[in-house]
Amino acid sequence: MTTTRGLRDRDEPITMLTAYDAPTAAVVDEAGIDVILVGDSMGNAVLGYDSTLPVTMAEVESRTAAVARATEDALVVADMPFLSFGVDEAESVRNAGELLKEANADAVKIESGPHTVEMTRRMTDIGIPVMAHLGLTPQHVNRLGGYARQGTDQDAAEEIVELAGAHAEAGAFALVLEHVPANLAGAVTEALDIPTIGIGAGPDCDGQVLVINDAVGLGQWSPPFSRQFGDVRGEMLDAVERYKEAVASGEFPAEEHSHVESDLDDLY
């Protein structure tokens, strides 16, 4: 079973994928993925939102509980959604604790910045494992002006290195680096004692994460730094079309899909 401490001690690359429901989580877990992230990417991936911003604590809690019920070995990390943290420290800690206590998450992930260093320290002090997240942080899309690569100039890169060290010192057990130059991600990885997990951050991180829709080919679009390892959308479309044709032709349901009770022959 994967643990936060175990991630720090391993030599082989860490694998992480998102999941938002029990059937998907069961497949991801059976495949041996180390970490399942119940990401606020559910907003775009499964809830039909245009961004992650509308995702609520209730949605994350419900989805996390479903994933946790279907998972045996993977570490389950719940994303803290927009405005569930950072406004008030007591409320932030309470929301994070609820994801562990009520939804059975093993840890939480926080989109990080200067304002989350002390919050990370507070949470880890009371027993809430925290995964930090730097680089492209989608909850800040309005401030960033879109989903562009981050850390591309000297000042921005140095800020990411400094914040990474501060969150590691505050007790974060791992760090996600999203959409940053590969050489910056490599430098951060080299500087930290905690593992880094990259998404669009090159090959030198300690692990990699993708949104499940992108990895299996379920969505109609995926970012340029991802790779589709299957065509689930195509398989689903084919199956649904064959179902429609079978119903329309009368092929389904067939005799083996039905049951006749002889004692009911006199009903009509």
PDB file of all heavy atoms in Angstrom, residues 156-170:
ATOM      1  N   ALA A 156      10.792  34.651 -12.270  1.00  0.00           N
ATOM      2  CA  ALA A 156       9.697  33.708 -12.025  1.00  0.00           C
ATOM      3  C   ALA A 156      10.233  32.336 -11.643  1.00  0.00           C
ATOM      4  O   ALA A 156       9.688  31.655 -10.765  1.00  0.00           O
ATOM      5  CB  ALA A 156       8.811  33.608 -13.258  1.00  0.00           C
ATOM      6  N   ALA A 157      11.317  31.908 -12.303  1.00  0.00           N
ATOM      7  CA  ALA A 157      11.910  30.615 -11.988  1.00  0.00           C
ATOM      8  C   ALA A 157      12.471  30.598 -10.570  1.00  0.00           C
ATOM      9  O   ALA A 157      12.287  29.625  -9.823  1.00  0.00           O
ATOM     10  CB  ALA A 157      13.003  30.285 -12.998  1.00  0.00           C
ATOM     11  N   GLU A 158      13.153  31.663 -10.184  1.00  0.00           N
ATOM     12  CA  GLU A 158      13.715  31.740  -8.834  1.00  0.00           C
ATOM     13  C   GLU A 158      12.623  31.741  -7.778  1.00  0.00           C
ATOM     14  O   GLU A 158      12.789  31.161  -6.693  1.00  0.00           O
ATOM     15  CB  GLU A 158      14.593  32.983  -8.707  1.00  0.00           C
ATOM     16  CG  GLU A 158      15.908  32.872  -9.479  1.00  0.00           C
ATOM     17  CD  GLU A 158      16.743  34.134  -9.395  1.00  0.00           C
ATOM     18  OE1 GLU A 158      16.260  35.123  -8.787  1.00  0.00           O
ATOM     19  OE2 GLU A 158      17.872  34.141  -9.936  1.00  0.00           O
ATOM     20  N   GLU A 159      11.490  32.379  -8.092  1.00  0.00           N
ATOM     21  CA  GLU A 159      10.377  32.375  -7.137  1.00  0.00           C
ATOM     22  C   GLU A 159       9.834  30.964  -6.929  1.00  0.00           C
ATOM     23  O   GLU A 159       9.524  30.557  -5.809  1.00  0.00           O
ATOM     24  CB  GLU A 159       9.257  33.299  -7.620  1.00  0.00           C
ATOM     25  CG  GLU A 159       8.083  33.371  -6.644  1.00  0.00           C
ATOM     26  CD  GLU A 159       6.965  34.269  -7.117  1.00  0.00           C
ATOM     27  OE1 GLU A 159       6.953  34.648  -8.306  1.00  0.00           O
ATOM     28  OE2 GLU A 159       6.076  34.584  -6.307  1.00  0.00           O
ATOM     29  N   ILE A 160       9.727  30.196  -8.018  1.00  0.00           N
ATOM     30  CA  ILE A 160       9.247  28.819  -7.901  1.00  0.00           C
ATOM     31  C   ILE A 160      10.223  27.975  -7.086  1.00  0.00           C
ATOM     32  O   ILE A 160       9.814  27.185  -6.221  1.00  0.00           O
ATOM     33  CB  ILE A 160       9.008  28.218  -9.301  1.00  0.00           C
ATOM     34  CG1 ILE A 160       7.771  28.868  -9.931  1.00  0.00           C
ATOM     35  CG2 ILE A 160       8.837  26.699  -9.228  1.00  0.00           C
ATOM     36  CD1 ILE A 160       7.514  28.460 -11.369  1.00  0.00           C
ATOM     37  N   VAL A 161      11.520  28.133  -7.334  1.00  0.00           N
ATOM     38  CA  VAL A 161      12.520  27.397  -6.554  1.00  0.00           C
ATOM     39  C   VAL A 161      12.406  27.752  -5.072  1.00  0.00           C
ATOM     40  O   VAL A 161      12.428  26.863  -4.203  1.00  0.00           O
ATOM     41  CB  VAL A 161      13.939  27.702  -7.078  1.00  0.00           C
ATOM     42  CG1 VAL A 161      14.988  27.078  -6.159  1.00  0.00           C
ATOM     43  CG2 VAL A 161      14.118  27.177  -8.504  1.00  0.00           C
ATOM     44  N   GLU A 162      12.266  29.028  -4.773  1.00  0.00           N
ATOM     45  CA  GLU A 162      12.172  29.480  -3.386  1.00  0.00           C
ATOM     46  C   GLU A 162      10.901  28.957  -2.716  1.00  0.00           C
ATOM     47  O   GLU A 162      10.946  28.462  -1.581  1.00  0.00           O
ATOM     48  CB  GLU A 162      12.189  31.004  -3.342  1.00  0.00           C
ATOM     49  CG  GLU A 162      12.125  31.587  -1.934  1.00  0.00           C
ATOM     50  CD  GLU A 162      12.162  33.101  -1.918  1.00  0.00           C
ATOM     51  OE1 GLU A 162      12.579  33.692  -2.936  1.00  0.00           O
ATOM     52  OE2 GLU A 162      11.759  33.685  -0.897  1.00  0.00           O
ATOM     53  N   LEU A 163       9.773  29.039  -3.429  1.00  0.00           N
ATOM     54  CA  LEU A 163       8.514  28.549  -2.859  1.00  0.00           C
ATOM     55  C   LEU A 163       8.530  27.037  -2.680  1.00  0.00           C
ATOM     56  O   LEU A 163       7.961  26.512  -1.714  1.00  0.00           O
ATOM     57  CB  LEU A 163       7.339  28.961  -3.746  1.00  0.00           C
ATOM     58  CG  LEU A 163       6.896  30.418  -3.642  1.00  0.00           C
ATOM     59  CD1 LEU A 163       5.867  30.739  -4.713  1.00  0.00           C
ATOM     60  CD2 LEU A 163       6.326  30.693  -2.257  1.00  0.00           C
ATOM     61  N   ALA A 164       9.153  26.326  -3.603  1.00  0.00           N
ATOM     62  CA  ALA A 164       9.264  24.870  -3.468  1.00  0.00           C
ATOM     63  C   ALA A 164      10.009  24.515  -2.190  1.00  0.00           C
ATOM     64  O   ALA A 164       9.576  23.644  -1.414  1.00  0.00           O
ATOM     65  CB  ALA A 164       9.970  24.284  -4.682  1.00  0.00           C
ATOM     66  N   GLY A 165      11.136  25.178  -1.947  1.00  0.00           N
ATOM     67  CA  GLY A 165      11.891  24.917  -0.730  1.00  0.00           C
ATOM     68  C   GLY A 165      11.121  25.277   0.523  1.00  0.00           C
ATOM     69  O   GLY A 165      11.175  24.557   1.529  1.00  0.00           O
ATOM     70  N   ALA A 166      10.373  26.380   0.469  1.00  0.00           N
ATOM     71  CA  ALA A 166       9.601  26.808   1.636  1.00  0.00           C
ATOM     72  C   ALA A 166       8.509  25.804   1.977  1.00  0.00           C
ATOM     73  O   ALA A 166       8.270  25.510   3.160  1.00  0.00           O
ATOM     74  CB  ALA A 166       8.995  28.186   1.377  1.00  0.00           C
ATOM     75  N   HIS A 167       7.839  25.262   0.961  1.00  0.00           N
ATOM     76  CA  HIS A 167       6.776  24.281   1.234  1.00  0.00           C
ATOM     77  C   HIS A 167       7.345  22.946   1.696  1.00  0.00           C
ATOM     78  O   HIS A 167       6.744  22.268   2.532  1.00  0.00           O
ATOM     79  CB  HIS A 167       5.891  24.110  -0.004  1.00  0.00           C
ATOM     80  CG  HIS A 167       4.923  25.231  -0.198  1.00  0.00           C
ATOM     81  ND1 HIS A 167       5.258  26.399  -0.845  1.00  0.00           N
ATOM     82  CD2 HIS A 167       3.634  25.387   0.209  1.00  0.00           C
ATOM     83  CE1 HIS A 167       4.217  27.209  -0.853  1.00  0.00           C
ATOM     84  NE2 HIS A 167       3.229  26.626  -0.212  1.00  0.00           N
ATOM     85  N   ALA A 168       8.504  22.572   1.167  1.00  0.00           N
ATOM     86  CA  ALA A 168       9.155  21.356   1.654  1.00  0.00           C
ATOM     87  C   ALA A 168       9.548  21.518   3.115  1.00  0.00           C
ATOM     88  O   ALA A 168       9.331  20.616   3.937  1.00  0.00           O
ATOM     89  CB  ALA A 168      10.373  21.036   0.795  1.00  0.00           C
ATOM     90  N   GLU A 169      10.105  22.679   3.455  1.00  0.00           N
ATOM     91  CA  GLU A 169      10.498  22.941   4.840  1.00  0.00           C
ATOM     92  C   GLU A 169       9.286  22.997   5.757  1.00  0.00           C
ATOM     93  O   GLU A 169       9.353  22.615   6.928  1.00  0.00           O
ATOM     94  CB  GLU A 169      11.268  24.259   4.894  1.00  0.00           C
ATOM     95  CG  GLU A 169      11.979  24.534   6.213  1.00  0.00           C
ATOM     96  CD  GLU A 169      11.045  25.157   7.242  1.00  0.00           C
ATOM     97  OE1 GLU A 169      10.111  25.883   6.847  1.00  0.00           O
ATOM     98  OE2 GLU A 169      11.249  24.912   8.451  1.00  0.00           O
ATOM     99  N   ALA A 170       8.124  23.426   5.202  1.00  0.00           N
ATOM    100  CA  ALA A 170       6.899  23.515   6.001  1.00  0.00           C
ATOM    101  C   ALA A 170       6.241  22.158   6.216  1.00  0.00           C
ATOM    102  O   ALA A 170       5.288  22.054   6.990  1.00  0.00           O
ATOM    103  CB  ALA A 170       5.915  24.469   5.332  1.00  0.00           C
TER     104      ALA A 170
END
